[in-house]
Amino acid sequence: MSLTSALNIAQTALFNTSRQTSVVSRNVSEASNPDYAHRSALLSSMAPGARVVQIRRAADEVLFRQNLFAISAWQGQKAMSGGLDTMRLTVNGVEDANAPATAISKLQEALQLYAGTPSNATLAESAVQAAHQVVRSLNDGAGAVQNFRADADRDIATAVDDLNYLLGEFETVNTEVVNGTRSGRAVSDALDRRDALLKKISEYVAISTTTRSGNDMVIVTADGATLFETIPRPVTFTPNTSYGPGTTGNSVYVDGVPLVPGVGGNTSAKGSIAASLQLRDETALQMQRQLDEVARGLITAFAETDPSGTLPDMAGLFSWAGGPGIPPAGTLIDGLAGAIRVNAAFDKNAGGDPSLLRDGGANGAAYLHNTTSAASFSDLLLRYSERLDEPMTFDPLAGLDTNRSVTAFSFDSVSWLEANRKQAASGAEGKEALAVRTATALSNATGVNVDNEMALLLDLENAYEASARLISVIDEMLSTLLQATR
């Protein structure tokens, strides 16, 4: 081999090594940033070096749109599932220990024990205390629902602030992309940042995008409201400082268009804001109505009746602000669960007489059933216990069966919440899986394949080893030539 040939071989080997080093180091660098689109560099050799002709940004618009939609669906479902879990714990307690249904069952047991020994004053007091526990469960449950609505309202306000901030960031990056595109500068990094912002925005509200000339992007919501066009459109919300039974939550407006809440346990909400609106204005209100109807049913079931049948029924063991009459049948009264009380006439601690539960007469002598003051009289106690299991009419606004007993209706409420919670949890698992799969598909289509890069590294190592050996041979040849000329 001539010296000239050896030098040419060495030069070529060094050039290939340098080129592979550049490509591999660039690709490995991108592998550490999987959220960004892959860069493809077109290289043309100009011995003894290399020149980058063009850098291409790999992107898949269809997969990216699917991923945005999946992210919105998952975030909405996650918010729904978490909200229902919180409501179950705050309203019904761990394993439904604080649920009105549990307290009503214990009241019914206390009545039956008292009916077995109606002369026992201690059992009479125990029955009234069981009634107090029913009232506490309804009062606390109603308060927990309103606190839940207030918390959801604050979550909405925070989410709206975050969304407006992200839109402001998007405006900055979008302007950079448009200006760079029009001036011919490389905008790949800015496009990556813009895509990352779109993913964050989609967590709050479902979006679709349109790219205009100059890489200018327009964002609209799934409801068709414009979220961004050259500048961010206003996302507005007026929070309430507190919530009561009659408080109506305010809407979230995107460019003046109200955002639509989701529906169902496996919610149709796309994004956390729509799910929070659903929890605040649909789910929590439904729970409140059911508690109100349980309270109305209890007041009716324990109403004192005129033995002669001539006088109207009056509030008995349980009273309310509209007493001493009883609430109208089959009609929802907002806030009744928070207003129901144990009638002071039955409460020994309030100067009342628990034996009125056995005898009647809290509303006067005309409502007295045990006219002989017999200590063994249990007819009224048994009648109260039976009423808890007798069907009555409930308002359809509560969202449950309208012809149920108070006991069955209270358990239906527990089942309703549990069924929604399980649907939400199951939906969250499925939608999370979809979000992960679409993200993986997008990464496979546009990201860096680590296996391929490892193969390139092995090729680089082999090329370097071959080049080192060749340089060693050339060095030996030059040394021999120099010695021969001396």
Side-chain angles (χ1 to χ4, degrees):
M1 176 186 298
S2 68
L3 180 60
T4 302
S5 299
L7 289 173
N8 287 336
I9 294 173
Q11 186 181 44
T12 302
L14 289 172
F15 162 69
N16 288 334
T17 302
S18 175
R19 184 163 66 95
Q20 291 184 42
T21 302
S22 174
V23 174
V24 171
S25 62
R26 170 179 47 75
N27 286 341
V28 171
S29 170
E30 289 170 4
S32 65
N33 285 313
D35 289 338
Y36 291 158
H38 177 55
R39 307 285 194 278
S40 297
L42 299 180
L43 304 177
S44 62
S45 61
M46 295 180 63
R51 182 179 66 183
V52 176
V53 176
Q54 183 183 7
I55 295 179
R56 293 179 179 175
R57 179 178 180 270
D60 190 315
E61 185 176 353
V62 174
L63 282 176
F64 187 71
R65 287 175 183 271
Q66 291 177 346
N67 185 232
L68 290 181
F69 181 83
I71 289 172
S72 296
W74 176 35
Q75 291 298 321
Q77 192 65 54
K78 185 167 71 171
M80 187 69 186
S81 180
L84 287 170
D85 286 343
T86 300
M87 183 179 293
R88 180 197 180 197
L89 288 175
T90 56
V91 176
N92 292 337
V94 178
E95 296 183 355
D96 303 321
N98 300 332
T102 303
I104 290 172
S105 295
K106 291 180 179 179
L107 172 60
Q108 194 166 28
E109 292 175 4
L111 287 172
Q112 291 169 352
L113 284 174
Y114 186 24
T117 313
S119 61
N120 192 320
T122 301
L123 292 179
E125 293 179 17
S126 296
V128 173
Q129 289 304 313
H132 274 292
Q133 183 56 46
V134 172
V135 167
R136 279 193 293 270
S137 68
L138 287 168
N139 294 165
D140 292 347
V145 168
Q146 300 310 325
N147 289 335
F148 179 87
R149 295 187 70 201
D151 290 341
D153 200 80
R154 285 189 288 271
D155 290 342
I156 294 169
T158 300
V160 168
D161 290 342
D162 292 344
L163 180 55
N164 281 315
Y165 172 79
L166 289 171
L167 290 173
E169 292 291 300
F170 187 88
E171 179 184 15
T172 301
V173 176
N174 188 68
T175 300
E176 181 181 347
V177 170
V178 173
N179 292 339
T181 300
R182 290 172 179 172
S183 63
R185 297 195 308 269
V187 295
S188 295
D189 289 342
L191 288 170
D192 287 339
R193 295 199 303 274
R194 192 169 73 174
D195 285 352
L197 284 170
L198 287 173
K199 289 182 179 181
K200 295 296 295 181
I201 291 170
S202 67
E203 293 180 7
Y204 296 100
V205 61
I207 59 174
S208 61
T209 62
T210 302
T211 304
R212 304 186 295 192
S213 62
N215 264 334
D216 187 22
M217 183 170 283
V218 176
I219 308 175
V220 298
T221 68
D223 300 328
T226 302
L227 197 60
F228 180 91
E229 184 179 10
T230 307
I231 61 172
R233 298 301 173 87
V235 182
T236 58
F237 172 68
T238 304
N240 288 316
T241 56
S242 62
Y243 272 82
T247 305
T248 301
N250 295 317
S251 297
V252 173
Y253 293 91
V254 178
D255 197 23
V257 179
L259 198 64
V260 179
V263 177
N266 189 1
T267 181
S268 60
K270 302 298 185 293
S272 61
I273 295 179
S276 295
L277 288 170
Q278 178 185 352
L279 286 166
R280 186 197 66 184
D281 298 334
E282 300 293 337
T283 309
L285 275 183
Q286 199 77 327
M287 186 78 251
Q288 178 66 58
R289 290 166 182 159
Q290 292 171 11
L291 293 175
D292 290 340
E293 279 294 85
V294 170
R296 187 182 61 80
L298 285 168
I299 294 172
T300 302
F302 283 88
E304 282 198 333
T305 59
D306 172 18
S308 66
T310 57
L311 298 176
D313 293 349
M314 304 290 282
L317 179 60
F318 297 103
S319 63
W320 62 301
I326 62 173
T331 303
L332 177 72
I333 298 176
D334 287 332
L336 187 57
I340 189 173
R341 297 289 184 269
V342 171
N343 194 331
F346 295 82
D347 188 355
K348 185 176 180 180
N349 294 328
D353 183 3
S355 65
L356 292 177
L357 188 60
R358 176 197 66 187
D359 301 333
N363 289 284
Y367 291 88
L368 181 66
H369 285 251
N370 186 14
T371 54
T372 62
S373 299
S376 60
F377 184 78
S378 61
D379 293 355
L380 196 55
L381 294 172
L382 293 174
R383 181 60 183 150
Y384 286 142
S385 182
E386 291 170 357
R387 281 184 184 176
L388 289 173
D389 292 325
E390 289 180 355
M392 65 175 63
T393 302
F394 290 95
D395 197 314
L397 287 175
L400 299 177
D401 195 337
T402 58
N403 188 30
R404 300 283 279 171
S405 68
V406 178
T407 302
F409 188 89
S410 64
F411 277 104
D412 287 349
S413 179
V414 173
S415 300
W416 172 84
L417 182 55
E418 185 66 16
N420 275 274
R421 192 184 67 83
K422 289 184 177 179
Q423 288 177 9
S426 177
E429 291 178 2
K431 291 173 183 178
E432 180 182 10
L434 179 60
V436 171
R437 288 194 187 103
T438 55
T440 301
L442 181 62
S443 177
N444 290 340
T446 63
V448 175
N449 189 313
V450 178
D451 292 336
N452 290 341
E453 303 311 320
M454 290 302 297
L456 284 174
L457 283 173
L458 291 175
D459 289 343
L460 174 63
E461 183 180 355
N462 293 333
Y464 179 82
E465 183 180 358
S467 299
R469 289 180 181 178
L470 183 58
I471 291 172
S472 178
V473 171
I474 294 171
D475 182 63
E476 185 179 350
M477 290 174 60
L478 289 173
S479 297
T480 302
L481 178 61
L482 290 173
Q483 289 177 0
T485 58
R486 290 177 181 176

